[in-house]
Amino acid sequence: MHFGNGTQCIGRSLAVIGLAVAGTVSGSPAMADDSVNTGYFGGVAIMGYDTVAYFTEGKATKGSEKISYEWMGTPWHFANAKHREMFMSEPLRYAPQYGGYCTGEVSGGSVTVNIDPEAFKIVEGKLYLMYDKADAEDFAAHPADTVAKADAKWAKVSADLELDQYH
């Protein structure tokens, strides 16, 4: 996937390991399926980063295994109990779009398990994660186009994830 300046997300992941599946979640096309990116290792959402901190602190903050909450069959770590409580009361508000997969890759109709938790943007109150910081900057230059493409392709991408098509 290429953004405006040619930065490339990885085209296909080598494996989707630790794909978590739980009950159906509604309310957002970006989270309408049951997939949560837990990366290649560790089996935790956003590689253990606190999803609420992106909104409250404006930065990527490592969470603690001791302050966690299981949602959609996946543990989510938080920096403090207040963030955990905030997430528990409104998980769809704080969860990253597209199950935490690279937004640029989803917009191209694929996924990469590799994301950099520090490569993110919040646009119109929604968290988008990217492969790397350069991709996050490219996304920021034209978020509406990328989100529209990703929203249009997410249903197929998430169905392919359930079928393990990226393995």
Side-chain angles (χ1 to χ4, degrees), residues 4-24:
N5 73 1
T7 303
Q8 183 175 359
C9 281
I10 294 176
R12 292 180 67 149
S13 65
L14 298 174
V16 176
I17 298 174
L19 182 63
V21 179
T24 300

Side-chain angles (χ1 to χ4, degrees), residues 7-8 36 39 54-55 58 75 87 98 100-101 104 117 123 134 148 151 157 159:
T7 303
Q8 183 175 359
V36 175
Y54 291 106
F55 295 91
F87 183 80
Y98 317 114
Y101 291 95
V123 177
D151 282 352
V157 169

Side-chain angles (χ1 to χ4, degrees), residues 37-80:
N37 181 4
T38 58
Y40 287 119
F41 306 103
V44 63
I46 317 176
M47 300 170 76
Y49 280 71
D50 179 342
T51 191
V52 175
Y54 291 106
F55 295 91
T56 61
E57 310 297 322
K59 65 181 182 177
T61 303
K62 194 75 169 162
S64 169
E65 186 176 330
K66 294 177 182 178
I67 308 170
S68 65
Y69 175 68
E70 188 156 319
W71 182 65
M72 293 183 62
T74 302
W76 297 71
H77 294 175
F78 302 93
N80 57 58

Side-chain angles (χ1 to χ4, degrees), residues 17-34:
I17 298 174
L19 182 63
V21 179
T24 300
V25 175
S26 62
S28 171
M31 285 298 295
D33 87 328
D34 302 332

